[in-house]
Amino acid sequence: MSTSPFDPQDAAIVFDGVTKAFGAHKVLQGLDLVVPKGKCTVIIGRSGTGKSVTLKHAMGLIQPDAGRVTVLGKELGRLKREELQRLRLRFGMVFQNAALFDSLSVYENVAFPLREHEKLTEAETLSRVEAVLAQVGLSFAIQKMPSELSGGMRKRVGLARAIIHTPDILLYDEPTTGLDPILTAQIDELIAATQQNHPAMASVVVSHDMKGAFMVADYIYMLHQGKVVAQGPPEHFKTTDDPLVRQFVEGRLDGPIGVE
Amino acid sequence: MITRLVEGVGAAVIRVVERFGSFAEVAVRGTWTLFTPPFRPRLILQQLEFVGVQSLSIVLISGFFTGGVFALQAAYGFGLFGAETLTGSTVTLSLSRSLGPVFCSLMVTGRAGSAMAAEIGTMKVTEQIDALESMAVDPVEYLVSPRVIAGAIMVPVLSALYTGIGMIGAYMVSVPYMGIDGGAFLDRIAWYADPEDLHWGLIKASVYGWLLAAVGCWKGLSVRGGAQGVGQATTEAVVVSSVAILVLDYFFTDILMKLGLLT
Ligand SMILES: Nc1ncnc2c1ncn2[C@@H]1O[C@H](COP(=O)(O)OP(=O)(O)OP(=O)(O)O)[C@@H](O)[C@H]1O
Ligand SMILES: [Mg+2]
C-alpha cells in the first residue's frame, strides 16, 4: 500500500498507528492517515468500519488505546484540558445524526458557537445566523425547534452550526446521507464552495456516496477493518483495478469484501 | 480459590472507587465551575424554576398530609397519658429537624433528580454531549453547575414550605378534628421549638438538594447504550440519591447531637 504524499509536519490531522477497541470489539487496528491543510479529504468505507470513530478521535472526543493523533502540530494525548478546548475551537463538526440541542431553537442552535466564544451584538449574531441558514436553504426555519424538522433539515442545521465560525478544520460525518438527490447535490456544492472560499481550511468528509466523493474530494482514503486499504486522488479510485476498491465503488456483492 | 476471591473483591473495590471517583469529579467540577466564568444566569434561572416552582404542588400536598398523619399518630400516643397538647411541638420538632429536609429531598429526587438523569442521558445517547465538547464547551460546566446550584438553593426553600404546611396539617388534624385545645397546642410549639432546629434543617436540605442534583447529572452523563441505558440511569439516580440522603441524614443528626449543636 502506498503512503500518502502529504508532509505530516505541516498537516492538519495525522493519525499514527491508532488502535481502538470497545470491549472486545476492535474497531481501529493501526490507522495511519494524513489530512492535509487546504484540501478536501474524503474517507470512505463500509458501515461500521469506524469512520465516525475516526472523526471523534480527531477532536479528542475519544482517546486511542495506542498510537497518536496529532492536530495542527499538537499531539492530543499530551494536551491539558484547556489546551484541548482551545484546539477544538478551530474545528467545526457536522455530526452524523446532527446532534442538535433539542431544547434550543434552530436560531439558538446555530448561534451557539458564536454566543459561547465570540462577543457579538444580537444584531451581528442574527445576521451571521441568517447568512449561514440561507447557505443551507433553511432561512424559513429559523424559529423552529429541532423536533419540528425532518432528518435532512436537521442535518443542514448541523452543517450551518459547524461552519458559522469558519473553522480551520471542518469535519463532515456523512453530510448527505438521507437527503434527496437535489439536496445532496446542493450540499456537495456547498462543501466544495466552503473549501474554495477558505483556501487554508482542511475539510474531511466521511461518505458512502461515491458520486459526491468524486465531486468534492482532492484525496480519498478507503477504510476497511480498521485500516486504510486504499488511498489516492479521485482519478485513482476511478481507474484502479484494486478489487477492494472496485467492489466498493461499484457496489457489487461479489468480491474480497465479505458480505454477511 | 483464595486468590480468586481476593481478585474478585479487589476488582469490586476498584470498581466502587472508580465509580465514586467519577461521581466526585462531576460533583466537584460542577460546583467549582459555578465560581469561574462563563456565568450562566439564564440557565440557572431555568433550573431554579424547574426544581423549585415545578415541585411546589407535590411538596405542598405531601407536606400537608405528612403533618396530618404524624399528628394523628402523636395525638393518639400522647393521649394515652393525657399529654395531647404536646402533639404540635413534637410534629414541629421532627418536621423542622429531619422529616422536612429528608422527605422533601426525596420528593424532589423523584421529580427533578430523575428528570435530570433522563434529560442529560438522552443528550448523551443523541451525541449532544459530544456536540457540546466539540464546540469547546465543558458539559459539566454547562449542564451540571446550573442544576447543582438550583438544588442547593431551592430544596431548602421547599423544605421550609414543607415544614410550614406540615404544621398547618398537624393543626388541622389536632385542633378542629381531634378537639385538642388550640391555644395550648400553639403555646407548646412556641415553648419547645428552637429556631436553631430550623436553621440546621435548612443547611441539611441544601446539602441534599446539591447531592440529588449531582447524582442525577452524574448518572445522566454516564449513560451507555440507547433508551434502555437512559431508563436505567434514571432509576439508579433515584435509588442512589434516596439511599444516600437517608444514610447521610442519620450521620448528620448523630454528629450534630454529639457536637451539642442539636439537643
Ligand atoms: N461509544 C461506543 N461504544 C461501543 N462501540 C462503539 C462506540 N462507538 C462506535 N462503536 C462501534 O464501533 C464500530 C464503528 O462505528 P462507527 O460509528 O465509527 O462506524 P461508521 O464507519 O461511522 O459506520 P456508518 O457508516 O454506519 O456511520 C461500530 O461497530 C460500533 O458498534
Ligand atoms: Mg458513522
Side-chain angles (χ1 to χ4, degrees):
Chain A
M1 192 198 71
S2 58
T3 51
S4 76
F6 308 113
D7 174 14
Q9 296 302 321
D10 190 41
I13 307 172
V14 182
F15 277 71
D16 189 2
V18 172
T19 65
K20 179 73 188 178
F22 293 101
H25 179 187
K26 291 187 188 135
V27 180
L28 303 183
Q29 308 187 37
L31 184 68
D32 295 308
L33 187 144
V34 179
V35 172
K37 290 179 186 164
K39 293 202 162 29
C40 181
T41 305
V42 172
I43 300 176
I44 60 174
R46 291 198 66 199
S47 188
T49 45
K51 303 183 297 298
S52 300
V53 169
T54 303
L55 289 190
K56 287 184 182 174
H57 273 91
M59 293 200 81
L61 298 174
I62 300 179
Q63 282 74 39
D65 296 336
R68 285 193 307 260
V69 181
T70 310
V71 173
L72 299 167
K74 299 205 172 72
E75 192 188 325
L76 295 189
R78 293 169 183 261
L79 295 185
K80 292 204 207 56
R81 192 179 175 85
E82 297 76 45
E83 295 170 312
L84 183 60
Q85 296 281 55
R86 232 172 300 129
L87 194 59
R88 280 178 180 157
L89 289 178
R90 305 179 63 181
F91 279 93
M93 171 133 179
V94 183
F95 284 84
Q96 188 163 358
N97 299 307
L100 302 182
F101 301 123
D102 37 38
S103 59
L104 301 180
S105 69
V106 167
Y107 174 58
E108 289 299 332
N109 262 287
V110 177
F112 195 89
L114 300 182
R115 290 216 197 287
E116 285 299 318
H117 303 295
E118 291 176 41
K119 301 264 167 296
L120 298 180
T121 65
E122 198 54 41
E124 287 168 327
T125 306
L126 179 63
S127 75
R128 296 260 303 263
V129 172
E130 280 174 336
V132 285
L133 281 178
Q135 282 183 31
V136 297
L138 280 178
S139 302
F140 64 92
I142 190 164
Q143 292 307 338
K144 289 196 191 299
M145 296 303 285
S147 57
E148 301 172 88
L149 305 179
S150 76
M153 289 161 84
R154 295 164 66 94
K155 196 158 248 178
R156 286 183 284 155
V157 175
L159 179 53
R161 184 175 71 180
I163 60 179
I164 192 163
H165 63 301
T166 47
D168 298 323
I169 303 177
L170 199 36
L171 309 177
Y172 302 87
D173 197 347
E174 302 192 15
T176 59
T177 306
L179 301 186
D180 68 58
I182 296 173
L183 266 177
T184 300
Q186 194 189 335
I187 295 296
D188 285 337
E189 182 104 23
L190 181 66
I191 294 172
T194 310
Q195 179 63 53
Q196 261 154 31
N197 295 339
H198 304 93
M201 184 193 246
S203 317
V204 184
V205 182
V206 161
S207 178
H208 318 118
D209 170 33
M210 290 314 302
K211 185 162 163 255
F214 286 144
M215 183 183 148
V216 300
D218 294 307
Y219 199 80
I220 301 178
Y221 288 97
M222 178 167 163
L223 257 52
H224 185 58
Q225 294 179 338
K227 284 203 186 81
V228 172
V229 290
Q231 57 178 299
E235 300 72 49
H236 172 71
F237 278 76
K238 286 179 187 162
T239 55
T240 180
D241 34 72
D242 179 341
L244 269 174
V245 176
R246 288 266 64 79
Q247 186 188 354
F248 187 83
V249 170
E250 288 158 18
R252 290 199 319 260
L253 289 178
D254 58 318
I257 303 176
V259 182
E260 307 87 46
Chain B
M1 177 63 205
I2 298 281
T3 50
R4 274 269 199 77
L5 192 69
V6 171
E7 269 171 24
V9 170
V13 168
I14 288 172
R15 245 194 334 270
V16 168
V17 170
E18 269 175 7
R19 284 281 190 86
F20 186 77
S22 79
F23 168 72
E25 215 250 295
V26 169
V28 169
R29 217 146 51 76
T31 309
W32 171 247
T33 49
L34 279 168
F35 303 99
T36 57
F39 304 107
R40 302 187 184 275
R42 231 182 40 146
L43 291 181
I44 293 176
L45 272 178
Q46 251 175 33
Q47 290 303 319
L48 287 172
E49 206 257 348
F50 174 71
V51 174
V53 181
Q54 294 184 34
S55 304
L56 206 55
S57 52
I58 60 158
V59 162
L60 291 181
I61 294 171
S62 58
F64 185 85
F65 283 98
T66 309
V69 76
F70 198 19
L72 271 183
Q73 305 273 20
Y76 172 77
F78 286 126
L80 294 178
F81 41 95
E84 294 92 341
T85 49
L86 284 174
T87 302
S89 48
T90 307
V91 174
T92 305
L93 275 182
S94 316
L95 276 177
S96 58
R97 281 183 175 186
S98 259
L99 290 186
V102 169
F103 279 15
C104 178
S105 305
L106 294 180
M107 303 302 296
V108 177
T109 299
R111 223 209 103 259
S114 61
M116 289 174 188
E119 186 187 355
I120 295 178
T122 306
M123 292 183 73
K124 171 94 188 204
V125 299
T126 54
E127 296 185 317
Q128 292 176 55
I129 304 287
D130 279 343
L132 276 176
E133 294 227 44
S134 81
M135 289 185 270
V137 173
D138 175 3
V140 170
E141 178 265 321
Y142 186 80
L143 295 170
V144 180
S145 58
R147 286 171 172 78
V148 293
I149 184 70
I153 292 176
M154 282 327 266
V155 174
V157 173
L158 292 168
S159 165
L161 288 171
Y162 189 95
T163 302
I165 196 101
M167 286 163 67
I168 294 175
Y171 183 88
M172 302 291 274
V173 167
S174 311
V175 179
Y177 180 63
M178 310 220 9
I180 296 172
D181 178 54
F185 181 96
L186 294 176
D187 212 39
R188 291 281 191 241
I189 293 183
W191 188 262
Y192 284 104
D194 184 348
E196 192 78 339
D197 292 339
L198 191 61
H199 151 178
W200 281 111
L202 293 183
I203 290 177
K204 290 200 297 185
S206 183
V207 173
Y208 305 155
W210 172 85
L211 183 74
L212 71 90
V215 170
C217 295
W218 166 60
K219 281 292 170 192
L221 286 173
S222 29
V223 164
R224 273 168 213 284
Q228 199 190 358
V230 176
Q232 196 184 336
T234 310
T235 313
E236 284 176 13
V238 173
V239 173
V240 171
S241 305
S242 305
V243 172
I245 287 168
L246 290 169
V247 172
L248 213 56
D249 194 61
Y250 172 81
F251 286 107
F252 237 135
T253 310
D254 193 38
I255 290 170
L256 287 178
M257 285 183 161
K258 283 222 174 77
L259 294 177
L261 294 167
L262 274 185
T263 43

